[in-house]
Amino acid sequence: MLVLVDEPRRGRPGRPLRRVAADEPHVLVTDLGITRGDGVFETVGIAAGRPQALDAHLARLARSAALLELPPPDLGVFRAATLEVAGALADAPSAWCKLVLTRGPEGEDRATGWAYGEVSRDWSRERTDGIAVVTLTRGYASDVTTSAPWLLQGAKSLSYALNRAALREAQRRGADDVIFTSTDGYVLEGPTSTVVLRLGGVLVTPPVEAGVLPGTTQADAFELLAARGAATRTRPVRVAELADADALWLMSSTRLAAPVRELDGRPVAVDAHLTAEINDALAARTS
Ligand code: PLP
């Protein structure tokens, strides 16, 4: 299900959305999103036709665009595109919609935008049995957002080849996923997820200042858990603290909360009850 956003830039007149065939070509080979990964994206989860955390995803799209100095996206048009995709996928219990904004074809004063959605694969095994994870260095210190902002840490840019390479490295090591660490010994994030640990009864996640994306799923999970009386905290997390965690999750929009059952070959306890509670609450979100 594909909807083209002919004018994705804020404040420019343009044609409305166009629903087109997804198996036909629509993007020029000179598009900087393709040739240089020069663009930003979001993947929004959809539950029975309802986009989840859409406001937070749109805000993050605008934040990423600002970090890449792209023209500010027209969030109204991206919202409408997402709703159209979500409506077309309403029969599926869960689906996703990817929003893309690129710098457009090289040498042209325009941007490229689209929303593309599909029915989700079944993540129940990962959510119940858990995943095996390895720590891998991200190669940067945790002050990268201020010491080297041009490295665009914390922007959800289209340049995800490195994230995919890290996942292949995890597979070579017999694992399913990755927790990136900084060169100065801090926990960062997964290649497509936010890290959440339970330490001494408190649910903890690293801050965006460490160069990680503000995770929409983690933010909603913390809000839902806090409303049920759980203690939550966002603070820098040392890599050594991973060994002290009595539960660990990777959270993201489509897989939701995947409990970690093994970290660097060492077993980690899975709190099946709390994991199911988090995933049920996340799946029940109506916005
Ligand atoms: N961190 C990175 C690098 C990601 O790519 C993602 C999502 O794909 C996340 C964190 C989790 O964000 P969200 O919960 O909004 O999906």
Side-chain angles (χ1 to χ4, degrees):
M1 167 61 196
L2 175 63
V3 171
L4 296 182
V5 180
D6 282 327
E7 179 47 272
R9 297 170 294 180
R10 194 174 72 204
R12 309 265 187 141
R15 280 193 285 168
L17 307 172
R18 274 193 295 143
R19 196 195 275 211
V20 293
D23 57 357
E24 282 172 13
H26 301 288
V27 180
L28 293 176
V29 295
T30 53
D31 195 288
L32 288 161
I34 289 169
T35 57
R36 307 224 190 255
D38 195 357
V40 295
F41 76 103
E42 281 297 322
T43 304
V44 184
I46 299 168
R50 298 183 310 267
Q52 302 193 293
L54 182 54
D55 288 342
H57 281 289
L58 292 172
R60 195 168 66 186
L61 186 75
R63 177 181 184 273
S64 298
L67 286 167
L68 267 73
E69 298 169 77
L70 286 165
D74 182 335
L75 298 185
V77 86
F78 275 105
R79 177 186 299 277
T82 311
L83 291 173
E84 184 159 343
V85 170
L89 296 169
D91 288 344
S94 66
W96 51 266
C97 176
K98 186 167 175 174
L99 307 177
V100 176
L101 168 72
T102 87
R103 207 178 295 278
E106 187 148 19
E108 290 186 34
D109 176 27
R110 62 191 173 102
T112 304
W114 70 85
Y116 171 76
E118 272 185 27
V119 173
S120 288
R121 55 159 282 201
D122 180 9
W123 291 108
S124 47
R125 191 180 57 77
E126 286 80 355
R127 289 178 193 150
T128 330
D129 300 350
I131 52 174
V133 172
V134 289
T135 52
L136 294 179
T137 179
R138 188 73 174 81
Y140 302 146
S142 60
D143 68 351
V144 66
T145 55
T146 47
S147 63
W150 51 88
L151 294 181
L152 301 177
Q153 278 308 286
K156 199 165 167 62
S157 86
L158 289 171
S159 308
Y160 260 42
L162 184 157
N163 305 45
R164 308 301 290 183
L167 289 169
R168 288 195 299 275
E169 179 60 26
Q171 268 158 21
R172 270 192 291 277
R173 297 182 187 201
D176 308 299
D177 214 323
V178 173
I179 291 178
F180 282 129
T181 60
S182 69
T183 52
D184 52 346
Y186 287 93
V187 173
L188 299 175
E189 62 189 344
T192 62
S193 59
T194 308
V195 177
V196 174
L197 311 77
R198 189 172 60 200
L199 286 163
V202 182
L203 292 154
V204 180
T205 196
V208 289
E209 290 74 21
V212 302
L213 285 187
T216 66
T217 316
Q218 167 272 319
D220 280 350
F222 272 26
E223 205 179 303
L224 293 160
L225 288 163
R228 292 167 191 210
T232 62
R233 206 165 153 216
T234 301
R235 65 156 174 87
V237 178
R238 303 285 311 177
V239 174
E241 291 182 273
L242 287 171
D244 301 332
D246 61 14
L248 185 57
W249 296 267
L250 294 185
M251 297 196 183
S252 53
S253 294
T254 49
R255 194 174 58 184
L256 302 179
V260 177
R261 61 171 170 77
E262 188 184 298
L263 182 66
D264 292 331
R266 179 182 58 82
V268 181
V270 169
D271 186 333
H273 180 74
L274 181 60
T275 303
E277 192 181 324
I278 296 171
N279 279 325
D280 289 348
L282 286 171
R285 287 172 294 170
T286 52
S287 64

